[in-house]
Amino acid sequence: MLRVEGLSVSYGDARVLEGISFQVKPGAMTCILGPNGAGKTTLLRSITGIIPSVVGKVWFLDQEIQGKKTHQIVELGMTMIPEGRRLWAPLSIQENLELGAYRISDQRIVKERLSWVYDLFPHLAERKGQLCGTLSGGEQQMVSIGRGLMASPKLMMMDEPSLGLAPLIVREVFEAIKKIVLAGTTVLLIEQNTKVALSAAQYGYVLERGAIVMEGEAAALQEDVHIKQAYLGL
Amino acid sequence: MISYNTIIQSILSGLLEGGNYALYSLGLAFVFGIMQIINMAHGEFLVLGGYIAYWLLVKWGVNPLMALPVAALLAGGTSFLSYRIFIERIRTTVELNTLILTFGIGIFLSNLYLQLWSADLRSISVHWMEDPVHLGGIYISLGEIVTFVISFAAVFFLHLFLRRTKTGKAIRITAIDRDAAALSGINVERVDLLAFSIGGALAGLGGPLLGMLSFVSPNTGLHITVKAFILTVLAGVGSIPGLIVAGMMLGVGEALTVTFVSSSFRELFGFTLFLVILLARPSGLFGKRG
């Protein structure tokens, strides 16, 4: 579904990503693990075209997408749930969700998607009219995921959905992400929370200091000595 | 001795004039709030609208109110071209660049007007506008009322457009979080172009009113830009309805200054108000703090 080959990104003289190659298979959840500052967010931002001018190639559904504008890439069926939720705070939950489906002009489809998101997060349905600036971190994360889902993406990339959330809420969010995968959306997850990510994903990559240093089935990574020591604290 | 009626009279004219100030500032406030661009060519876009209404009246006898859409369209078009040809290229660089560039565009336009239409002051005189309306012992002209209603409607519909329509919301969310907007499939560069063009069209709408109430000339533009900037900051950047209140404060203050002090202190009042409000409330009357 998504294939990245030799992706390199620099900020000025500082090289942040160096020859990254990986792929995301359809219908499953792939995760990219790594510590703070490894370049995880930069990776997603370059795939979605928010950071232009990168070296390397990116294929999405057999199309080369590097160099395209963000809205064009989104139109192909990719979306990203950005780190820190990035909601439009002065707007209501419902408005945030509806604007996630900006490109869909058929109001029936928008309504269908909306009721699907509300089924997924019943909590949000009760407070549609509330302004997003007043929500808790967990609720904001749900709106952010819901907003991404509104465009019916084929691939949904998530940047640290567990960040700053209480363990109980993290579990709730990940239950929803699993349902999203079951409903047919492929997920690429970027996480520092290794334990949660590996138990939800099927395949994983490890990104350290701008390069992929390890990859494998999630179950195998969980048993790996390096992962255990460096990420799981075992 | 200044009579009671004179005071009421100047307050009322000030309020009505203030409504017009809101329209004169609307385009600048909108572009500043949405795009963080201080459009120094704002006044020239407005003056263009005034000239269009003037020539339509003089050449073909077109009612200046009918000229409003034409003025808005042509000023909006000029704004569109300015953005497309020049401003777009430096949009993502430091903000000072857009200030300097739009200032240059303004100078170019005002000199163009000078070449095309001479330095004469052009006033759009329409007889029915002079018709007096009596309210008790107070007198106001029909023109003052009509222009006030138009200004108020423009502010109201812009507000509604931003709050209720999909395109309006796209403009707002692009201003709040550009990346998140792009990730929702919004073409943010097109939104920029649209917002700047709307800003120009709103300025163009104010031109005929300015021409009817006073006059336009090639160097009226900068004067308007400065006034619009004062009002935008007074209202608080991003507050469109706040412009009406800020405009009325300025209008009434100026009118009372003229009545009690002297008309030569009129401009001074605006700047003093500007400084005092900024000292007391740095984010303006209705701006968000911080």
Side-chain angles (χ1 to χ4, degrees), chain A residues 45 71 86 95 102-103, chain B residues 166 169 177 179 185 187:
Chain A
R45 287 170 65 83
H71 70 97
R86 306 279 290 266
E95 283 175 311
Y102 187 79
R103 287 270 155 182
Chain B
K166 196 173 168 182
K169 284 180 185 176
D177 192 325
D179 291 344
N187 184 346

Side-chain angles (χ1 to χ4, degrees), chain A:
Chain A
M1 170 156 282
L2 178 74
R3 192 151 60 88
V4 173
E5 244 167 58
L7 188 79
S8 298
V9 181
S10 307
Y11 293 138
D13 287 338
R15 175 119 315 173
V16 181
L17 293 176
E18 178 79 65
I20 302 280
S21 300
F22 71 94
Q23 55 175 323
V24 175
K25 297 215 172 78
M29 188 189 310
T30 305
C31 68
I32 297 181
L33 308 169
N36 225 343
K40 303 191 296 296
T41 297
T42 302
L43 179 61
L44 290 196
R45 287 170 65 83
S46 15
I47 293 172
T48 48
I50 294 173
I51 300 174
S53 67
V54 296
V55 183
K57 285 200 152 69
V58 182
W59 283 271
F60 177 59
L61 300 169
D62 300 319
Q63 259 195 71
E64 276 192 36
I65 58 165
Q66 76 276 6
K68 283 192 194 289
K69 305 237 184 246
T70 304
H71 70 97
Q72 295 169 322
I73 294 172
V74 169
E75 192 138 32
L76 293 175
M78 181 195 287
T79 195
M80 174 172 93
I81 314 303
E83 185 179 354
R85 355 286 186 209
R86 306 279 290 266
L87 298 176
W88 301 300
L91 278 67
S92 71
I93 291 182
Q94 178 117 346
E95 283 175 311
N96 268 268
L97 293 177
E98 280 170 353
L99 287 163
Y102 187 79
R103 287 270 155 182
I104 303 175
S105 44
D106 187 339
Q107 282 310 304
R108 273 184 328 211
I109 299 176
V110 176
K111 282 225 171 69
E112 268 173 39
R113 297 300 296 177
L114 203 56
S115 65
W116 191 65
V117 170
Y118 284 144
D119 281 347
L120 197 63
F121 302 112
H123 198 55
L124 299 183
E126 298 157 17
R127 23 174 83 192
K128 307 174 182 182
Q130 195 171 335
L131 302 186
C132 286
T134 64
L135 300 175
S136 72
E139 291 162 340
Q140 289 193 7
Q141 188 61 61
M142 292 172 197
V143 178
S144 187
I145 294 173
R147 180 175 70 183
L149 284 173
M150 288 298 292
S152 312
K154 298 184 181 79
L155 171 66
M156 184 153 161
M157 307 196 293
M158 300 184 161
D159 194 349
E160 305 258 9
S162 76
L163 195 74
L165 301 185
L168 211 63
I169 310 289
V170 172
R171 199 188 301 163
E172 201 181 329
V173 167
F174 271 79
E175 283 311 312
I177 298 174
K178 282 181 201 163
K179 280 188 203 157
I180 293 166
V181 178
L182 281 179
T185 300
T186 305
V187 168
L188 172 62
L189 175 72
I190 290 227
E191 260 300 341
Q192 275 192 72
N193 191 336
T194 308
K195 200 171 158 194
V196 175
L198 285 179
S199 63
Q202 280 79 47
Y203 202 83
Y205 293 86
V206 179
L207 184 69
E208 282 178 9
R209 269 168 276 130
I212 301 271
V213 294
M214 193 185 285
E215 64 170 281
E217 302 287 331
L221 287 178
Q222 254 169 332
E223 297 306 318
D224 184 89
V225 179
H226 173 68
I227 299 273
K228 273 188 169 168
Q229 282 179 347
Y231 295 99
L232 297 172
L234 296 173

Side-chain angles (χ1 to χ4, degrees), chain B residues 185-242:
Chain B
I186 292 170
N187 184 346
V188 289
E189 286 158 19
R190 267 239 308 266
V191 167
D192 283 343
L193 179 62
L194 177 68
F196 198 80
S197 307
I198 290 176
L202 291 169
L205 213 50
L209 303 195
L210 180 67
M212 285 187 264
L213 294 170
S214 60
F215 61 86
V216 291
S217 76
N219 56 18
T220 310
L222 190 60
H223 178 76
I224 291 290
T225 302
V226 170
K227 195 151 251 175
F229 183 71
I230 290 177
L231 271 193
T232 301
V233 176
L234 271 184
V237 176
S239 172
I240 298 290

